[in-house]
Amino acid sequence: MKSKAIAILFLFIAVSFSAKAQTDAEMLAEIHKTALTKGKSYVWLEHLCNKIGSRLSGSANAEKAVQYTYEQLRLLELDSVYLQEILVPKWERGAPEEAYYKAGNKKVKVPICALGMSVATPKNGLTAQVVEVQSIEELEKRGAALKGKIVFFNRPMNPEFVETFRAYGACVDQRSSGAREAAKYGAVGVIVRSMTLHADDFPHTGQTGYGDLRENQRIPAAAISTNAADRLSLELKLNPNLEFFFKQSCKQYPDVLSANVVGEIRGTVYPEEIIVVGGHLDSWDLGTGAHDDGAGCVQSIEVLHLLKKIGYKPQRTIRAVMFMNEENGVRGGLAYEKYSNQRGENHIFALESDLGGFSPRGFSFVCDDANFEQIRSWQSLFEPYLIHRFVKGFSGVDIGPLKSEKIVKAGLQPDSQRYFDHHHAANDTFEHVHKRELELGAAAMTSLIYLIDKYGIK
């Protein structure tokens, strides 16, 4: 016992000396310098996007991504790398979708994509008159007029909101719940204006849900591009009896086995206290999931890489998790919490990156006032890197299920103005991620985790 006590004392002295050897400002400078000159996040992201591609849960590509990130974590020579197996939904888009309407004698083709988890149209497609609405609440006012019609949800993201996620949150219900609600009034299909502030011809997918509707009550749901939505809305004013055709052959399959990918550096002083950082490995199938959320995954792996590169020995266990199935089920996040409870783990801090690989601007926290004040006291350390936003708010979908007795949760907050140009669309691809911005985000995450590790939580 005496020799063990002496060893712990020497370890404490060594850690204390190491902490004094560099000030916090010097440590953050070293982290940023290393990220910008020796980081690997951009190389990892290029492989995920260009060598593997889209990673919808349940797909072959998703499993390739599991194996790739597992191997990259192993190459970092961490203390532990492992998989957490989970069952995930398997939904496939099928053949490319088709859509058009007639304006006079002209057939107008419409950029369209099935919403995730939607049912298919009849084999030969669906044709019906269109009723345009601005909200789910408007359905009740239209009532019987919706029977046999295609409901066109056309509420745009509000351009007045500087916070683009606020604009997204204010209208995404028409995508997530529109088909379920329209079906209750006898509608035969739903088309939704894409969730983006950009005027373009890219339809944006995303999950739709049917709640407790029986299978024979479910109606097909699709998104059309913003330019197409504007044209269709104008045409409906000229021709209220316009008929719209669309065809999609998506299909739901039985659940399949997949996994979260986990790697960790064990703490030297408080190994039972866990700091977790992560992103979601799955993506929608139209693009290659560069911003959503390949960026967050490679940044999370980079946190461990940077700490090892600078020779930092954390006091607490630092764990990176590549969560599976955030986009259409959150089963990875739920499974992680379940495994954590079974093992009696104690998480003190969780950080997620799932808002794109753009320039970091700060962090959003879910915590009590005492911890928020401590974190805000570090704000000046981040200002040289143009990071100034420390606010209370949302953290992340995958870390949301974590319910440790006392835990601080946070989300990286990049500049969001261009995020919804790419979100869930075919242009969410590698070339739209800037190497330096991606690296700065990883450096900011590593810096925050270093400070949490050094000072703990209240």
Side-chain angles (χ1 to χ4, degrees), residues 185-414:
Y185 295 92
V188 294
V190 160
I191 53 176
V192 182
R193 181 189 185 93
S194 285
M195 303 290 110
T196 177
L197 288 155
H198 199 228
D200 62 25
D201 293 313
F202 290 104
H204 294 232
T205 192
Q207 184 174 9
T208 194
Y210 293 105
D212 58 0
L213 289 182
R214 295 190 303 274
E215 215 167 300
N216 64 354
Q217 295 176 309
R218 299 177 180 185
I219 60 176
I224 63 174
S225 70
T226 51
N227 283 344
D230 289 339
R231 288 192 293 267
L232 178 59
S233 181
L234 179 61
E235 193 63 38
L236 283 169
K237 291 177 175 60
L238 301 173
N239 178 14
N241 296 319
L242 175 149
E243 289 192 334
F244 188 94
F245 166 87
F246 75 109
K247 180 182 178 182
Q248 57 192 42
S249 57
C250 37
K251 186 176 179 181
Q252 185 77 39
Y253 294 88
D255 291 351
V256 299
L257 192 65
S258 188
N260 295 330
V261 187
V262 185
E264 65 185 34
I265 303 172
R266 188 165 175 81
T268 55
V269 182
Y270 311 109
E272 73 285 354
E273 294 187 4
I274 297 171
I275 295 170
V276 65
V277 58
H280 65 86
L281 195 52
D282 62 306
S283 75
W284 284 110
D285 56 327
L286 297 180
T288 59
H291 280 294
D292 187 18
D293 181 32
C297 287
V298 298
Q299 287 172 330
S300 299
I301 299 173
E302 189 77 285
V303 169
L304 301 185
H305 174 239
L306 293 176
L307 292 176
K308 286 187 69 72
K309 199 73 177 172
I310 65 176
Y312 180 72
K313 306 292 185 184
Q315 300 179 58
R316 297 163 171 86
T317 294
I318 300 179
R319 178 183 293 169
V321 182
M322 310 303 106
F323 295 97
M324 181 55 69
N325 183 233
E326 185 270 352
E327 292 292 5
N328 57 341
V330 200
R331 295 193 191 176
L334 293 168
Y336 181 80
E337 166 67 0
K338 178 183 176 181
Y339 282 118
S340 175
N341 284 340
Q342 290 173 346
R343 295 164 67 170
E345 293 181 334
N346 175 29
H347 287 78
I348 67 162
F349 183 67
L351 171 62
E352 186 162 350
S353 172
D354 185 19
L355 303 183
F358 301 99
S359 293
R361 291 290 177 258
F363 300 93
S364 177
F365 297 91
V366 178
C367 62
D368 59 24
D369 290 341
N371 278 295
F372 187 57
E373 286 308 307
Q374 173 177 255
I375 292 165
R376 282 211 305 185
S377 72
W378 305 330
Q379 191 167 346
S380 61
L381 293 167
F382 289 85
E383 287 174 357
Y385 311 101
L386 305 182
I387 293 173
H388 59 277
R389 182 174 171 79
F390 284 63
V391 297
K392 283 191 175 185
F394 180 68
S395 58
V397 171
D398 292 297
I399 63 176
L402 283 172
K403 297 179 178 66
S404 296
E405 186 175 339
K406 194 165 188 180
I407 184 173
V408 174
K409 300 179 188 178
L412 178 69
Q413 295 280 313

